[in-house]
Amino acid sequence: MTAREPLAARESATGAIYDLGYRAYDGPRLGRSAAVATLFWHSLRAAFGWGRSGRSKIVPWGLTAFALAPAAIATAISALVPFGGASPFSYDNYIFQISIILALFVAAQAPELVSGDQRNRVLSLYFSHALERADYGLAKLGAMIVAVFILTFAPMLVLFVGSILVATDVADALGDQLENLPQVIVAPLIYAVPLAALGLAIAAWTPRRAYATGAIIAVFIVSAAVAGILGEATRGRLADWSQLVNPMVAADGTRDLLVGEPNFESPASRGNLDLWVFGVETLLLSAAATAAIVWRYRRVAA
Amino acid sequence: MSLIEARALTKRYGEHVTALDALDLEVEPGIIGLVGANGAGKSTLLKILLGLLSPTDGSASVMGLDVTRQGPEIRQFVGYLPEHDCLPPDASATEFVTHMGRMSGLPAAAARERTAEVLRHVGLYEERYRPIGGYSTGMKQRVKLAQALVHDPKLLLLDEPTNGLDPAGRDEMLDLVKRTGTEFGIATVVASHLLGEIERVCTFLLAIDAGKLLRAAPIVSFTERTGTLGVEVEDRADELAAALMARGLEATADGRAVLVTSPDERRYDVVRDAVDELGLALVRLEHKRHRLEDLFSGEAIG
């Protein structure tokens, strides 16, 4: 009998609302930190299309596959052809080689995380919940950093695990490779922080997703092109300093400074600038972009 | 401690626009109607109470918490329904309301459980699993109400809850608001420019005009009898008015009605005789009540 009642209520023309009795909630209210954590996880899942339609998984998973493919193929070849020569990839040059994929990922997914909330005005609901305006931007930034980290860490992990497994003496290789573990973890982070911050700072500026994606691609491509042209067209100090225009080079210089060896495919390692210059640039870029995100969300209308 | 208190609360946009002008308020729990013309400052007041906007001057508190310094604490206990669209089209009602529950600090399991209850309360059934983008305006308004209720707020701020609804949808939404306020005992502020709606659901009325408090009083005091008798006839109202004046009553013609203002006990008999003598068709005799509209037409109310 009880089970039939909701149905009856639904069918009647006027009493469309069936009342099971509103119950008050006396349980815990976890407050601001829980709200920020919820937003972080929600955004991280969204960065990979998790819990969304199949269509929104195509870009992040496709780019992840592209980022992984060279590492996986190189590992497979060295497993099948034991003495087939040195792999073209190392922990030092891999991320810089796939930097175009990182740029595309940031351009596609940073707007995915923030544009819709502005366009659909979901922001006014977020801001009327248990967090501060700046928390929104920082939770989104955290999610974006972790997403780019996952994208870059995954192939490094494949190189790492692969080089252990294909070795003739696995235990010995494990010992050797453990020395590289800090580099395998820290190098992706050195790329993830400035790229995510820069991308999100641009995406936060417009509710239009397509504009944001275009602007981020433009910044990465134009900066790389300008740095490339200046590097070719000028001589001496100017050629060296012009490389700072490209944030990918800055990140690679920072990687060279902090972990690992020079990567001679990157102008940072080839040039004559002290590496700390790239470290300072990466730091300033990350800080300025974070400040821009916080500034934007403190002021945006909601 | 009052539910809502404001002291000299002022909000200016730029140099020339003053949305709230030194507003003083003290509101006790109940269903409170906040009325005023478009642009009177209703939405601005609600947004300041939520901490979405910061006041230019003065102070305000909700449940004894200061709106500028204790925003997240207040917002844990407040539900807000904005007047504009604020829903992401690609999420389902269940996903979105659960997410918003967690943004208010509810643990995951509690958020899911309360989402199911609250969606049933607002009358969303099978459709709650479909993306919100395909919902009708009425269904979207219900989702907006559900997300405002999911964390069992102590205070509900509803900004034009019947915006965009057809007459049947309006009736259902108003019933829902009334039941939420009376049966569940959640203090509710309903902002509306439609006085009829306020009259139907609210127990207390705050009238603001050009950012100033016009009046704050229980709703019954606005709708008391005025002592004026309205006599509606099919035609020739002016002849009837003249006949009543000749019999010693104070009467004025007002369209098809004659308003008799003398408190004379015999006026019913006099009206009957005069109507009979002139051979008029009497449509209705009624005690005139104050109307909320009088608030804004400048008439004094007793």
Side-chain angles (χ1 to χ4, degrees):
Chain A
M1 205 45 216
T2 2
R4 288 178 55 93
E5 277 174 10
L7 192 65
R10 234 173 293 160
E11 284 165 357
S12 79
T14 48
I17 301 124
Y18 179 74
D19 187 13
L20 287 172
Y22 183 88
R23 283 193 289 159
Y25 176 74
D26 300 320
R29 292 175 192 261
L30 306 174
R32 181 176 170 184
S33 56
V36 174
T38 298
L39 188 58
F40 169 81
W41 284 111
H42 180 81
S43 307
L44 181 56
R45 286 160 53 91
F48 288 98
W50 216 295
R52 306 240 172 151
S53 66
R55 213 162 46 103
S56 43
K57 291 187 182 66
I58 296 174
V59 171
W61 286 105
L63 289 173
T64 307
F66 280 127
L68 273 170
I73 292 168
T75 303
I77 289 174
S78 53
L80 295 172
V81 192
F83 304 103
S87 160
F89 302 118
S90 70
Y91 301 128
D92 297 308
N93 72 2
Y94 195 88
I95 303 177
F96 191 75
Q97 297 268 27
I98 61 163
S99 56
I100 182 70
I101 294 172
L102 306 189
L104 290 176
F105 185 87
V106 170
Q109 299 310 95
E112 169 81 25
L113 293 199
V114 296
S115 301
D117 289 347
Q118 249 182 88
R119 190 177 54 246
N120 303 314
R121 306 187 71 177
V122 190
L123 266 190
S124 47
L125 288 187
Y126 278 121
F127 292 170
S128 58
H129 279 74
L131 41 63
E132 297 282 10
R133 280 165 166 259
D135 295 344
Y136 173 88
L138 295 175
K140 291 283 179 185
L141 175 60
M144 196 64 214
I145 290 173
V146 173
V148 180
F149 174 80
I150 290 172
L151 181 75
T152 36
F153 177 66
M156 294 288 269
L157 192 64
V158 168
L159 289 180
F160 180 78
V161 173
S163 59
I164 295 171
L165 292 185
V166 302
T168 38
D169 183 349
V170 170
D172 203 30
L174 184 65
D176 287 348
Q177 287 294 325
L178 277 181
E179 282 173 26
N180 294 322
L181 201 56
Q183 184 182 9
V184 169
I185 294 169
V186 174
L189 207 55
I190 291 172
Y191 277 84
V193 174
L195 297 190
L198 185 60
L200 211 57
I202 296 169
W205 236 262
T206 169
R208 307 286 293 269
R209 192 180 159 164
Y211 291 176
T213 296
I216 295 169
I217 289 184
V219 164
F220 283 127
I221 289 180
V222 169
S223 64
V226 167
I229 291 167
L230 286 177
E232 293 295 322
T234 57
R235 293 271 174 275
R237 295 307 271 170
L238 185 58
D240 288 337
W241 285 94
S242 66
Q243 297 314 310
L244 293 178
V245 173
N246 187 346
M248 296 290 179
V249 173
D252 197 68
T254 310
R255 180 203 58 75
D256 193 355
L257 173 72
L258 297 178
V259 288
E261 302 291 320
N263 159 27
F264 291 102
E265 282 141 31
S266 155
S269 301
R270 277 200 314 265
N272 301 311
L273 281 187
D274 284 337
L275 288 176
W276 62 263
V277 174
F278 297 102
V280 168
E281 189 198 353
T282 302
L283 202 63
L284 288 181
L285 180 66
S286 305
T290 304
I293 293 167
V294 169
W295 189 90
R296 169 66 176 167
Y297 285 115
R298 286 235 172 98
R299 273 157 191 79
V300 65
Chain B
M1 183 183 76
S2 305
L3 178 69
I4 299 169
E5 257 185 83
R7 293 275 165 266
L9 191 64
T10 302
K11 178 68 183 177
R12 280 187 215 96
Y13 297 103
E15 292 272 308
H16 305 291
V17 184
T18 304
L20 293 179
D21 191 1
L23 190 68
D24 285 309
L25 269 185
E26 212 162 302
V27 181
E28 301 303 326
I31 308 185
I32 298 120
L34 177 62
V35 293
N38 290 327
K42 303 187 295 289
S43 295
T44 302
L45 178 58
L46 294 189
K47 285 180 177 176
I48 287 178
L49 295 178
L50 276 165
L52 281 178
L53 288 176
S54 43
T56 315
D57 209 355
S59 65
S61 68
V62 174
M63 298 175 288
L65 301 167
D66 184 88
V67 295
T68 43
R69 287 182 291 109
Q70 291 164 296
E73 288 95 323
I74 292 176
R75 294 193 288 266
Q76 276 194 86
F77 295 100
V78 177
Y80 172 50
L81 182 153
E83 64 179 318
H84 52 74
D85 284 343
C86 57
L87 303 173
D90 47 354
S92 74
T94 300
E95 286 164 358
F96 183 67
V97 174
T98 307
H99 178 56
M100 283 298 150
R102 300 200 60 194
M103 289 304 299
S104 312
L106 297 193
R112 276 195 297 274
E113 196 175 311
R114 286 199 55 88
T115 295
E117 279 175 29
V118 94
L119 285 176
R120 197 163 48 216
H121 170 65
V122 301
L124 279 176
Y125 300 99
E126 282 77 11
E127 57 273 27
R128 66 178 186 265
Y129 300 112
R130 293 206 308 265
I132 294 170
Y135 288 12
S136 67
T137 310
M139 282 157 70
K140 284 181 184 165
Q141 282 307 104
R142 286 163 193 255
V143 179
K144 282 162 69 174
L145 183 62
Q147 67 78 27
L149 278 172
V150 62
H151 54 299
D152 188 26
K154 304 278 173 274
L155 170 65
L156 202 51
L157 301 177
L158 309 176
D159 201 349
E160 307 278 0
T162 58
N163 229 1
L165 298 181
D166 60 23
R170 259 166 208 275
D171 286 347
E172 285 176 15
M173 178 55 75
L174 291 175
D175 286 348
L176 215 46
V177 170
K178 190 165 191 172
R179 277 162 31 103
T180 309
T182 50
E183 292 173 29
F184 314 156
I186 299 174
T188 307
V189 176
V190 186
S192 178
H193 62 282
L194 299 168
L195 293 161
E197 295 189 348
I198 296 290
E199 214 169 328
R200 269 180 59 184
V201 298
C202 297
T203 55
F204 196 88
L205 187 117
L206 291 172
I208 58 174
D209 190 32
K212 283 186 183 297
L213 188 65
L214 210 55
R215 218 175 131 178
I219 211 120
V220 285
S221 67
F222 291 90
T223 53
E224 284 165 345
R225 289 183 181 191
T226 58
T228 302
L229 184 68
V231 184
E232 194 179 324
V233 286
E234 285 216 317
D235 52 3
R236 292 150 63 200
D238 39 351
E239 282 179 43
L240 177 63
L244 291 174
M245 299 265 269
R247 284 172 167 79
L249 293 178
E250 278 182 44
T252 47
D254 177 20
R256 296 201 316 182
V258 177
L259 301 176
V260 182
T261 43
S262 327
D264 196 326
E265 278 296 308
R266 298 176 303 105
R267 60 188 178 173
Y268 303 104
D269 296 340
V270 176
V271 167
R272 180 198 59 206
D273 294 344
V275 167
D276 180 44
E277 207 163 284
L278 290 168
L280 298 172
L282 180 62
V283 178
R284 132 164 72 199
L285 269 180
E286 65 171 348
H287 286 290
K288 285 289 183 192
R289 289 178 180 276
H290 284 299
R291 292 167 311 150
L292 286 175
E293 284 83 345
D294 300 340
L295 262 181
F296 298 97
S297 59
E299 277 180 48
I301 300 183

